[in-house]
Amino acid sequence: MTIGVVTNESSIALMKETTEGTVVSTASGTDYLEVIAGNLEINKTREELARDTLSNTTEGEASRVGIPEVSGSIGVEFRASATEGAYPQALEVLTESLMGGKRTAATKTATAATSTIITFASHAFLVGDIVTVKESGAYECRPISAVDATTITFPFALTNGAPSATVEVAACSTFYSNTATSSTFSAEHNVGGELIQTCGGLRSQSLSLENWSAGTIPTATFNIAGLSLEKSDGSASYAPDFTADELPPVALEACLWVSGVKTSYTDLSLNIENEVSFMKDACSANGKLGSRVTSQTTTLSATAYADDTTLTNWTAFDDNTDVSVFFYAFNPASTAGEFSGAVAGWLPQGKITEAPYGDVDGIVSEQLSVKAHRTGSGSNSIFLGFI
């Protein structure tokens, strides 16, 4: 027997499943996630079935166990891939399981440009994609609110005005709500590098984007649940390789727009919550047939400084009119005004549910709470972009 297994030598690899609950083995070192220390937990519990029977003693009868429950949480830094427009290694499997929809679009060079419309010979960008306009010395990110065969339109103007006619628009990857196609995944959880928990049928239940506040590193915590967990002795299948991702951004120059208005703020948080229903099945060894997402709720909160020249947010709250919210952060490049590794969020429409005044170190703040909603055929309430 060997004791003294070290927690910080733990690792976890995630693999998208083809069939829910059928474990997919780790294939390479790039399947591992760089998890924040103290933010990785997966456990299995069993429901105790007490047996209250009569006998000639007051002692309890041996209990049985019922349906197992597998649940946990995984916390990672909110970061982009080191390859422009590729899905981030630390977030891809978890976010696809949560949101369902994902897509990429390649870099394109414009043929004409204004501060709100970029024209190309052709392009593959879609509404909801978040792009970086790579004007020399004046990079900016914007969400796309409309497209046709040759143009993309932004919902509000670029701060630096119209870029050059032949400006490059960076490749991007986008996650969006389409839970009908959300996936399950398997996990190889290596505890201290000496013990293995093999999990199947896992599904992301929620995402909490946290620590997005001035001068800090934003993080994302996913709550997960699944069908199976087995333990064994052993080490990781491969040496974890985290080089595919960029360094995480620091929330500096990480701006926020509410309905297209640049807003001074101290912090924000985003929560995407899925209601997951596990289908019970008496014919299954673990009592479950599988799981389905039955509803999704997206909320955002931000602590903005109160502006004594406008009551726009209050009016939207009081009149129950829609607002939009856009935010992004990035890693500055050596050339002033340029950057890489941008991460962003776009809520095209939502209702302000709360807007009370607060206090930040003696300065009056506005505590905004926004609940996103779909329009039309849906799949458009929330977009997360990585550039």
Side-chain angles (χ1 to χ4, degrees), residues 330-364:
F330 54 81
N331 288 321
S334 56
T335 300
E338 299 184 3
F339 56 79
S340 63
V343 295
W346 166 234
L347 284 65
Q349 59 282 319
K351 302 294 187 184
I352 296 178
T353 58
E354 291 182 287
Y357 287 130
D359 180 279
V360 178
D361 297 329
I363 307 299
V364 177

Side-chain angles (χ1 to χ4, degrees), residues 224-246:
I224 61 175
L227 298 177
S228 65
L229 184 154
E230 302 298 332
K231 294 188 177 186
S232 62
D233 287 326
S235 56
S237 298
Y238 299 90
D241 179 358
F242 306 132
T243 57
D245 282 347
E246 270 255 19

Side-chain angles (χ1 to χ4, degrees), residues 201-215:
L202 295 169
R203 190 183 290 278
S204 295
Q205 293 181 303
S206 67
L207 159 64
S208 295
L209 178 57
E210 303 161 328
N211 298 317
W212 190 297
S213 57

Side-chain angles (χ1 to χ4, degrees), residues 3-171:
I3 61 173
V5 177
V6 178
T7 300
N8 275 4
E9 293 178 358
S10 301
S11 62
I12 189 168
L14 304 182
M15 299 293 293
K16 181 180 176 180
E17 294 178 343
T18 303
T19 302
E20 182 176 1
T22 300
V23 172
V24 178
S25 299
T26 306
S28 73
T30 56
D31 295 324
Y32 291 83
L33 278 63
E34 190 169 11
V35 178
I36 300 168
N39 281 266
L40 173 58
E41 182 180 17
I42 307 178
N43 291 307
K44 177 179 179 178
T45 59
R46 299 294 297 265
E47 178 187 5
E48 181 187 8
L49 303 176
R51 299 170 58 216
D52 189 10
T53 60
L54 299 177
S55 68
N56 62 348
T57 175
T58 57
E59 295 170 290
E61 183 59 270
S63 61
R64 304 297 303 276
V65 291
I67 298 174
E69 301 289 338
V70 177
S71 62
S73 63
I74 301 174
V76 296
E77 294 164 323
F78 198 64
R79 61 204 295 194
S81 171
T83 301
E84 183 179 277
Y87 298 118
Q89 177 179 329
L91 290 157
E92 181 180 6
V93 174
L94 289 164
T95 308
E96 183 180 2
S97 177
L98 179 78
M99 300 183 71
K102 70 172 186 177
R103 61 191 183 224
T104 60
T107 301
K108 297 295 291 187
T109 299
T111 58
T114 72
S115 62
T116 56
I117 299 175
I118 309 293
T119 303
F120 311 92
S122 65
H123 69 88
F125 298 113
L126 295 172
V127 171
D129 288 351
I130 299 167
V131 298
T132 299
V133 179
K134 300 174 75 173
E135 178 72 358
S136 179
Y139 284 17
E140 292 187 67
C141 289
R142 287 294 184 272
I144 297 174
S145 57
V147 300
D148 61 25
T150 59
T151 67
I152 61 175
T153 300
F154 304 141
F156 55 94
L158 295 166
T159 302
N160 294 307
S164 58
T166 56
V167 70
E168 183 178 281
V169 176

